[in-house]
Amino acid sequence: MAMSSSSGGGTVLSEINVTPLVDVMLVLLVIFMVTTPLIEQDDEKREVEMDLPVTRDNESRVNLEESEQIILEINQELQVLIGDSVLVDCGAALQESSPERFEPCFDELQAKIESNQKLQDDGRLYLLGHPDIPYGFVVGSMNRIRLAGVSNVGMVTNPEYRKAEPQ
């Protein structure tokens, strides 16, 4: 805000100095003018491929029985399975209250995944967790899967589980 006073008149003029505001607006205008053509030219680059989870409302359902992908399932009893074979059974850890209760299971899971040559070669895995299992168990499992060398982990939902949900 600039103030000026006339000498001897006794009046004070106060007015707002808008010069910095105009400078900022001009700089923003130049930035928008330069970047707008660049944004319009990158339509193809803005497309993102997504693997959405399979849900009741998702049209692109995947038949888990016919899928060739490796699906690691965690059932309600905290058994970690690939197909019909049980990798780790962590059901006994559910009864414990220690925060470290799942660590032995995670260690065993990591060792089993590290020793699975097909998983190591493919580097991809889909995780199907029952909705009633502890969230921390799923996150811990995902972390150990990543530490075991499988970096591409997708989440799969089972429409069978959703049907059991109350409406």
Side-chain angles (χ1 to χ4, degrees), residues 67-72 82 113-127 145 148-154:
S67 176
E68 295 179 9
Q69 304 297 327
I70 299 173
I71 299 173
L72 187 102
I82 291 181
I113 290 175
E114 285 173 345
S115 65
N116 188 325
Q117 191 60 40
K118 185 176 181 192
L119 275 174
Q120 294 299 317
D121 292 342
D122 195 24
R124 180 183 345 190
L125 175 70
Y126 290 98
L127 182 63
I145 291 168
V150 179
S151 59
N152 193 352
V153 178

Short mmCIF file of all heavy atoms in Angstrom, two decimals, residues 67-72 82 113-127 145 148-154:
data_model
loop_
_atom_site.label_atom_id
_atom_site.label_comp_id
_atom_site.label_asym_id
_atom_site.label_seq_id
_atom_site.Cartn_x
_atom_site.Cartn_y
_atom_site.Cartn_z
N SER A 67 -7.79 -69.44 -14.52
CA SER A 67 -6.71 -68.48 -14.66
C SER A 67 -5.36 -69.19 -14.62
O SER A 67 -5.14 -70.10 -13.83
CB SER A 67 -6.78 -67.45 -13.54
OG SER A 67 -5.69 -66.58 -13.62
N GLU A 68 -4.47 -68.76 -15.50
CA GLU A 68 -3.12 -69.32 -15.50
C GLU A 68 -2.21 -68.58 -14.54
O GLU A 68 -1.07 -69.00 -14.34
CB GLU A 68 -2.55 -69.26 -16.93
CG GLU A 68 -3.31 -70.12 -17.90
CD GLU A 68 -2.75 -70.02 -19.31
OE1 GLU A 68 -1.68 -69.41 -19.47
OE2 GLU A 68 -3.39 -70.55 -20.21
N GLN A 69 -2.67 -67.49 -13.99
CA GLN A 69 -1.86 -66.71 -13.07
C GLN A 69 -1.78 -67.42 -11.71
O GLN A 69 -2.69 -68.16 -11.33
CB GLN A 69 -2.47 -65.32 -12.87
CG GLN A 69 -2.66 -64.56 -14.14
CD GLN A 69 -1.35 -64.27 -14.85
OE1 GLN A 69 -0.33 -64.07 -14.21
NE2 GLN A 69 -1.37 -64.30 -16.17
N ILE A 70 -0.72 -67.15 -11.02
CA ILE A 70 -0.56 -67.72 -9.68
C ILE A 70 -1.36 -66.86 -8.70
O ILE A 70 -1.15 -65.66 -8.60
CB ILE A 70 0.91 -67.77 -9.28
CG1 ILE A 70 1.68 -68.65 -10.26
CG2 ILE A 70 1.07 -68.27 -7.86
CD1 ILE A 70 3.17 -68.63 -10.06
N ILE A 71 -2.28 -67.50 -8.01
CA ILE A 71 -3.13 -66.80 -7.04
C ILE A 71 -2.81 -67.33 -5.66
O ILE A 71 -2.95 -68.52 -5.38
CB ILE A 71 -4.61 -66.98 -7.37
CG1 ILE A 71 -4.90 -66.40 -8.75
CG2 ILE A 71 -5.48 -66.33 -6.31
CD1 ILE A 71 -6.29 -66.67 -9.25
N LEU A 72 -2.37 -66.44 -4.80
CA LEU A 72 -2.09 -66.77 -3.41
C LEU A 72 -3.32 -66.40 -2.59
O LEU A 72 -3.70 -65.24 -2.55
CB LEU A 72 -0.87 -66.00 -2.91
CG LEU A 72 -0.39 -66.39 -1.53
CD1 LEU A 72 0.83 -67.27 -1.68
CD2 LEU A 72 -0.05 -65.17 -0.73
N ILE A 82 -1.64 -71.77 -2.29
CA ILE A 82 -1.54 -71.61 -3.74
C ILE A 82 -2.24 -72.83 -4.32
O ILE A 82 -1.78 -73.96 -4.14
CB ILE A 82 -0.09 -71.52 -4.24
CG1 ILE A 82 0.54 -70.22 -3.76
CG2 ILE A 82 -0.05 -71.60 -5.76
CD1 ILE A 82 1.97 -70.01 -4.22
N ILE A 113 8.11 -68.60 -0.68
CA ILE A 113 8.02 -67.88 -1.95
C ILE A 113 9.40 -67.75 -2.58
O ILE A 113 9.55 -67.85 -3.80
CB ILE A 113 7.35 -66.51 -1.73
CG1 ILE A 113 5.87 -66.75 -1.42
CG2 ILE A 113 7.49 -65.61 -2.94
CD1 ILE A 113 5.10 -65.52 -1.06
N GLU A 114 10.42 -67.55 -1.76
CA GLU A 114 11.77 -67.47 -2.31
C GLU A 114 12.21 -68.78 -2.93
O GLU A 114 12.96 -68.79 -3.89
CB GLU A 114 12.76 -67.07 -1.20
CG GLU A 114 12.69 -65.62 -0.82
CD GLU A 114 13.55 -65.29 0.38
OE1 GLU A 114 13.97 -66.22 1.11
OE2 GLU A 114 13.77 -64.10 0.61
N SER A 115 11.70 -69.89 -2.40
CA SER A 115 12.10 -71.19 -2.93
C SER A 115 11.22 -71.65 -4.10
O SER A 115 11.54 -72.65 -4.74
CB SER A 115 12.06 -72.24 -1.82
OG SER A 115 10.73 -72.43 -1.38
N ASN A 116 10.15 -70.94 -4.40
CA ASN A 116 9.27 -71.30 -5.51
C ASN A 116 9.85 -70.72 -6.80
O ASN A 116 9.79 -69.52 -7.04
CB ASN A 116 7.86 -70.76 -5.25
CG ASN A 116 6.85 -71.26 -6.25
OD1 ASN A 116 7.17 -71.44 -7.42
ND2 ASN A 116 5.63 -71.46 -5.80
N GLN A 117 10.41 -71.57 -7.61
CA GLN A 117 11.09 -71.11 -8.82
C GLN A 117 10.14 -70.48 -9.82
O GLN A 117 10.50 -69.50 -10.48
CB GLN A 117 11.84 -72.29 -9.47
CG GLN A 117 12.77 -71.84 -10.57
CD GLN A 117 13.85 -70.88 -10.05
OE1 GLN A 117 14.39 -71.06 -8.95
NE2 GLN A 117 14.13 -69.84 -10.82
N LYS A 118 8.92 -70.99 -9.93
CA LYS A 118 7.97 -70.42 -10.88
C LYS A 118 7.62 -68.98 -10.50
O LYS A 118 7.55 -68.10 -11.36
CB LYS A 118 6.70 -71.27 -10.95
CG LYS A 118 5.75 -70.80 -12.00
CD LYS A 118 4.54 -71.67 -12.13
CE LYS A 118 3.65 -71.11 -13.24
NZ LYS A 118 2.37 -71.66 -13.29
N LEU A 119 7.43 -68.74 -9.21
CA LEU A 119 7.14 -67.38 -8.76
C LEU A 119 8.33 -66.45 -8.99
O LEU A 119 8.17 -65.30 -9.40
CB LEU A 119 6.79 -67.37 -7.28
CG LEU A 119 5.35 -67.65 -6.92
CD1 LEU A 119 5.19 -67.74 -5.42
CD2 LEU A 119 4.45 -66.58 -7.48
N GLN A 120 9.52 -66.94 -8.77
CA GLN A 120 10.71 -66.13 -8.97
C GLN A 120 10.91 -65.80 -10.44
O GLN A 120 11.31 -64.69 -10.79
CB GLN A 120 11.94 -66.84 -8.40
CG GLN A 120 11.91 -67.01 -6.90
CD GLN A 120 11.86 -65.68 -6.17
OE1 GLN A 120 12.55 -64.74 -6.53
NE2 GLN A 120 11.01 -65.59 -5.16
N ASP A 121 10.61 -66.77 -11.33
CA ASP A 121 10.75 -66.52 -12.76
C ASP A 121 9.69 -65.57 -13.27
O ASP A 121 9.96 -64.69 -14.07
CB ASP A 121 10.67 -67.84 -13.53
CG ASP A 121 11.87 -68.73 -13.26
OD1 ASP A 121 12.89 -68.22 -12.76
OD2 ASP A 121 11.76 -69.95 -13.54
N ASP A 122 8.45 -65.77 -12.81
CA ASP A 122 7.33 -64.96 -13.28
C ASP A 122 7.35 -63.57 -12.66
O ASP A 122 7.08 -62.57 -13.33
CB ASP A 122 6.01 -65.67 -12.97
CG ASP A 122 4.85 -65.09 -13.72
OD1 ASP A 122 5.08 -64.49 -14.80
OD2 ASP A 122 3.70 -65.24 -13.27
N GLY A 123 7.67 -63.48 -11.39
CA GLY A 123 7.72 -62.19 -10.70
C GLY A 123 6.36 -61.55 -10.52
O GLY A 123 6.26 -60.37 -10.24
N ARG A 124 5.31 -62.34 -10.67
CA ARG A 124 3.95 -61.79 -10.58
C ARG A 124 3.09 -62.73 -9.75
O ARG A 124 3.22 -63.95 -9.83
CB ARG A 124 3.38 -61.66 -11.97
CG ARG A 124 2.00 -61.11 -11.97
CD ARG A 124 1.35 -61.02 -13.29
NE ARG A 124 2.23 -61.15 -14.43
CZ ARG A 124 1.86 -60.91 -15.66
NH1 ARG A 124 0.65 -60.54 -15.91
NH2 ARG A 124 2.68 -61.07 -16.66
N LEU A 125 2.20 -62.13 -8.98
CA LEU A 125 1.36 -62.92 -8.08
C LEU A 125 0.08 -62.14 -7.82
O LEU A 125 0.08 -60.92 -7.76
CB LEU A 125 2.11 -63.12 -6.77
CG LEU A 125 1.42 -63.81 -5.62
CD1 LEU A 125 1.21 -65.28 -5.94
CD2 LEU A 125 2.24 -63.68 -4.36
N TYR A 126 -1.02 -62.86 -7.71
CA TYR A 126 -2.28 -62.25 -7.33
C TYR A 126 -2.64 -62.72 -5.92
O TYR A 126 -2.50 -63.89 -5.60
CB TYR A 126 -3.40 -62.62 -8.31
CG TYR A 126 -3.21 -61.96 -9.64
CD1 TYR A 126 -2.64 -62.64 -10.70
CD2 TYR A 126 -3.60 -60.64 -9.83
CE1 TYR A 126 -2.45 -62.02 -11.92
CE2 TYR A 126 -3.42 -60.02 -11.05
CZ TYR A 126 -2.85 -60.71 -12.09
OH TYR A 126 -2.66 -60.09 -13.29
N LEU A 127 -3.08 -61.79 -5.11
CA LEU A 127 -3.40 -62.07 -3.72
C LEU A 127 -4.89 -61.98 -3.52
O LEU A 127 -5.52 -60.97 -3.85
CB LEU A 127 -2.67 -61.07 -2.82
CG LEU A 127 -2.84 -61.23 -1.33
CD1 LEU A 127 -2.25 -62.56 -0.88
CD2 LEU A 127 -2.14 -60.09 -0.60
N ILE A 145 5.99 -60.90 0.53
CA ILE A 145 6.01 -61.33 -0.87
C ILE A 145 6.97 -60.45 -1.66
O ILE A 145 7.77 -60.92 -2.46
CB ILE A 145 4.58 -61.28 -1.46
CG1 ILE A 145 3.71 -62.36 -0.82
CG2 ILE A 145 4.60 -61.42 -2.96
CD1 ILE A 145 2.22 -62.19 -1.11
N ALA A 148 10.47 -61.24 -0.85
CA ALA A 148 10.88 -62.52 -1.43
C ALA A 148 11.22 -62.40 -2.91
O ALA A 148 11.63 -63.38 -3.52
CB ALA A 148 9.78 -63.55 -1.22
N GLY A 149 11.06 -61.22 -3.48
CA GLY A 149 11.47 -61.02 -4.86
C GLY A 149 10.35 -60.95 -5.86
O GLY A 149 10.58 -60.82 -7.05
N VAL A 150 9.11 -61.04 -5.41
CA VAL A 150 7.96 -60.92 -6.31
C VAL A 150 7.47 -59.48 -6.20
O VAL A 150 6.84 -59.09 -5.23
CB VAL A 150 6.84 -61.91 -5.93
CG1 VAL A 150 5.65 -61.75 -6.86
CG2 VAL A 150 7.37 -63.33 -5.96
N SER A 151 7.80 -58.71 -7.21
CA SER A 151 7.51 -57.28 -7.12
C SER A 151 6.15 -56.88 -7.68
O SER A 151 5.64 -55.82 -7.36
CB SER A 151 8.60 -56.49 -7.85
OG SER A 151 8.64 -56.89 -9.21
N ASN A 152 5.57 -57.73 -8.50
CA ASN A 152 4.29 -57.39 -9.12
C ASN A 152 3.18 -58.17 -8.42
O ASN A 152 2.93 -59.33 -8.74
CB ASN A 152 4.35 -57.72 -10.61
CG ASN A 152 3.22 -57.13 -11.38
OD1 ASN A 152 2.28 -56.58 -10.80
ND2 ASN A 152 3.29 -57.25 -12.69
N VAL A 153 2.54 -57.55 -7.45
CA VAL A 153 1.49 -58.20 -6.66
C VAL A 153 0.17 -57.49 -6.94
O VAL A 153 0.06 -56.28 -6.75
CB VAL A 153 1.80 -58.16 -5.15
CG1 VAL A 153 0.67 -58.81 -4.35
CG2 VAL A 153 3.11 -58.84 -4.87
N GLY A 154 -0.80 -58.24 -7.42
CA GLY A 154 -2.12 -57.68 -7.67
C GLY A 154 -3.11 -58.20 -6.64
O GLY A 154 -2.94 -59.28 -6.09
#
